[in-house]
């Protein structure tokens, strides 16, 4: 098999920082997304595209946590995706020699997750240092804390910096120091249907060169295609309207 035919590796989140209340996270994400959608429907969004894409990320949190709501949430997500496709297009990104997507509407169809066990060490949520060496004490609240990013994590709320409301460089009060665990040596790593950490999922889907070639082979402009330079738009939400819970059941059945 040539290098061009190799399947590129996907990326995934395998753990969450701190003591995350996933039910609260899902509720807050849902409310934030619904506010954006309501404002969009009322014509009150000045710059709709980034806000609607943010709403999709929020709804993906809900999708993973609220299992009983996955189908209706997915319908809403695909409806947003169809509107984004019509108004702005949904171009695949390109990095390290491969086209890829981080679109929530694609990620939700990879409905498996990851379970990891290993040896842990700890760090302070505020300064990212070993709690033994830093000036903060777990459980105490501190004022005048500058918002910083550590490994894509916000040190104010411990959520991903891309999805929280805090601003880098600004200072905040009543910030609680939390002792965060991180894995230094993996003992077991399993692919599971429903992981203990519900957001331990695929976060980036790359496409092999062969997949791209097959996908555009019948396009009348195929001869003008330049790999890595030509923009490829995804039309998933035009062809798909919702999540099918049974689509990937076979690997998890006992038959």
């Amino acid at each position: 098999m040539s290098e061009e035919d190799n399947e590129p590796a996907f990326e995934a989140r395998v753990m969450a920082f701190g003591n995350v209340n996933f039910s609260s996270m899902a509720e807050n994400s849902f409310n934030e997304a619904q506010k954006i959608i309501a404002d969009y429907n009322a014509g009150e969004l000045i710059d709709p595209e980034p806000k609607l894409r943010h709403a999709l990320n929020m709804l993906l949190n809900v999708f993973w946590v609220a299992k009983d709501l996955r189908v209706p949430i997915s319908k809403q997500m695909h409806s947003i995706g169809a509107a984004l496709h019509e108004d702005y297009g949904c171009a695949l990104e390109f990095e390290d020699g491969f086209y890829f997507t981080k679109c929530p509407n694609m990620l939700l169809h990879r409905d498996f997750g990851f379970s990891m066990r290993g040896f842990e060490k700890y760090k302070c949520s505020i300064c990212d240092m070993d709690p033994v060496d830093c000036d903060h004490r777990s459980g105490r609240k501190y004022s005048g804390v500058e918002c910083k990013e550590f490994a894509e994590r916000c040190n104010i709320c411990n959520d991903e910096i891309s999805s929280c409301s805090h601003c880098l460089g600004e200072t905040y009060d009543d910030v609680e120091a939390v002792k965060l665990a991180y894995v230094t040596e993996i003992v077991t790593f399993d692919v599971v249907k429903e992981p203990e950490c519900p957001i331990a999922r695929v976060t980036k889907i790359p496409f092999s060169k062969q997949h791209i070639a097959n996908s555009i082979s019948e396009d009348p402009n195929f001869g003008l295609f330049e790999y890595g330079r030509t923009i490829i738009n995804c039309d998933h939400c035009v062809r798909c309207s919702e999540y099918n819970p049974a689509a990937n059941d076979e690997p998890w059945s006992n038959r």
Side-chain angles (χ1 to χ4, degrees), residues 36-226:
I36 292 173
I37 294 167
D39 289 346
Y40 172 75
N41 290 334
E44 297 176 357
L45 291 183
I46 297 175
D47 188 11
E49 183 183 7
K51 294 181 174 64
L52 288 175
R53 296 196 188 279
H54 178 67
L56 285 180
N57 285 318
M58 294 298 97
L59 289 173
L60 185 62
N61 289 337
V62 183
F63 179 88
W64 292 133
V65 175
K67 292 183 284 187
D68 293 340
L69 297 177
R70 283 181 179 171
V71 172
I73 289 295
S74 74
K75 289 181 179 179
Q76 186 175 50
M77 292 174 69
H78 282 73
S79 177
I80 295 171
L84 285 167
H85 180 275
E86 180 176 356
D87 292 341
Y88 307 103
C90 296
L92 298 181
E93 298 179 73
F94 189 84
E95 182 181 67
D96 297 332
F98 294 102
Y99 287 93
F100 70 93
T101 182
K102 292 184 177 181
C103 175
N105 288 353
M106 293 286 284
L107 298 176
L108 67 83
H109 292 287
R110 269 60 174 182
D111 59 348
F112 55 88
F114 307 96
S115 177
M116 183 177 66
R117 296 290 183 271
F119 296 108
E120 297 178 341
K121 286 189 176 181
Y122 298 93
K123 61 177 65 177
C124 171
S125 62
I126 292 178
C127 65
D128 208 46
M129 294 176 61
D130 188 314
V132 175
D133 300 324
C134 80
D135 297 327
H136 308 106
R137 294 295 172 261
S138 182
R140 293 185 184 179
K141 292 185 177 181
Y142 295 85
S143 297
V145 177
E146 181 183 353
C147 180
K148 296 181 179 180
E149 176 184 350
F150 297 115
E152 300 183 0
R153 172 185 64 83
C154 170
N155 70 331
I156 304 298
C157 63
N158 296 319
D159 286 338
E160 289 191 11
I161 197 74
S162 61
S163 60
C164 81
S165 59
H166 300 107
C167 298
L168 291 173
E170 292 192 6
T171 57
Y172 296 86
D173 296 329
D174 295 323
V175 179
E176 182 178 359
V178 178
K179 186 169 68 172
L180 302 177
Y182 66 98
V183 176
T184 59
E185 181 181 347
I186 297 174
V187 177
T188 63
F189 185 84
D190 302 303
V191 178
V192 296
K193 179 65 173 177
E194 296 294 343
E196 181 180 350
C197 173
I199 60 172
R201 309 279 182 167
V202 173
T203 58
K204 173 181 175 181
I205 304 171
F207 302 101
S208 69
K209 294 181 179 180
Q210 188 60 54
H211 175 86
I212 294 297
N214 292 340
S215 299
I216 64 173
S217 61
E218 297 183 5
D219 190 292
N221 296 315
F222 177 73
L224 301 176
F225 177 75
E226 293 184 54

